[in-house]
Amino acid sequence: DTEVTQTPKHLVMGMTNKKSLKCEQHMGHRAMYWYKQKAKKPPELMFVYSYEKLSINESVPSRFSPECPNSSLLNLHLHALQPEDSALYLCASSQEDGSMVYGYTFGSGTRLTVV
Amino acid sequence: AQSVTQLDSQVPVFEEAPVELRCNYSSSVSVYLFWYVQYPNQGLQLLLKYLSGSTLVKGINGFEAEFNKSQTSFHLRKPSVHISDTAEYFCFLAGGTSYGKLTFGQGTILTVHP
């Protein structure tokens, strides 16, 4: 299995809703990432988990709450989002903490629309 | 500080023509360089990478790139493009092994016309 699987592929939520994005990989990667990508822009790093511990939070608002229950699974919990949070949310993984030898493996993303 | 500059935001080209997508970088540490492709409504797929060694790197789908340290460039090339190559291409730099030095370029939209 050489994939990162993200669910759901599309999500529409109201500003008062609570929802979660899920990311899964079975490649034995020990670093997992959340990126946010607005239209016609490059991905922006949000969070990094290394060995199931949060190692980087790029000053992301608290309405985004990441969770790494185990080495294969990464969640992003969403609460009280704003319309400007609408974007493509990408999950990625890499082999080791900080190692770029093999680059990232990206998921296909969750297209989030906040109404 | 490090940066990645993709010199063209859009590149239109006809099918079977050659193409070059340009990427320049700036970094004070040793770098790893990557090119990723993103098809509409998709995630990013790794095309190729430069880590060390030979400066000419070959990737998937017939793409190649050349690392030029003196010109701090990592341009992506393909001798003959297909309609299916229409996508957005991102140059990506990882400076050393620090998470804080991960930088995407702004992207180049390649449009291949019949």
Side-chain angles (χ1 to χ4, degrees), chain B residues 7-84:
Chain B
L7 296 159
D8 306 293
S9 59
Q10 297 192 54
V11 173
V13 66
F14 287 106
E15 195 173 18
E16 298 184 8
V19 71
E20 178 180 81
L21 306 183
R22 297 180 293 169
C23 173
N24 285 96
Y25 70 91
S26 171
S27 178
S28 59
V29 299
S30 60
V31 297
Y32 301 140
L33 288 158
F34 305 78
W35 276 99
Y36 284 88
V37 59
Q38 186 174 32
Y39 300 101
N41 298 312
Q42 295 286 318
L44 280 74
Q45 181 182 6
L46 180 64
L47 274 179
L48 48 77
K49 61 191 176 196
Y50 171 78
L51 305 177
S52 64
S54 173
T55 56
L56 183 62
V57 179
K58 293 190 184 296
I60 63 172
N61 301 340
F63 283 93
E64 63 181 34
E66 185 157 16
F67 173 66
N68 188 319
K69 188 174 182 180
S70 62
Q71 298 191 6
T72 60
S73 67
F74 190 56
H75 301 333
L76 181 70
R77 301 184 182 102
K78 186 170 183 178
S80 176
V81 294
H82 303 286
I83 298 287
S84 59

Side-chain angles (χ1 to χ4, degrees), chain B residues 84-106:
Chain B
S84 59
D85 293 322
T86 294
E88 188 159 19
Y89 292 79
F90 290 99
C91 185
F92 176 75
L93 181 154
T97 58
S98 168
Y99 291 118
K101 298 186 184 299
L102 306 177
T103 308
F104 275 98
Q106 290 297 305

Side-chain angles (χ1 to χ4, degrees), chain A residues 75-96:
Chain A
N75 298 320
L76 186 62
H77 303 297
L78 313 172
H79 173 56
L81 294 194
Q82 303 297 311
E84 59 265 29
D85 296 322
S86 299
L88 180 68
Y89 287 84
L90 293 164
C91 176
S93 67
S94 65
Q95 278 206 335
E96 292 180 13

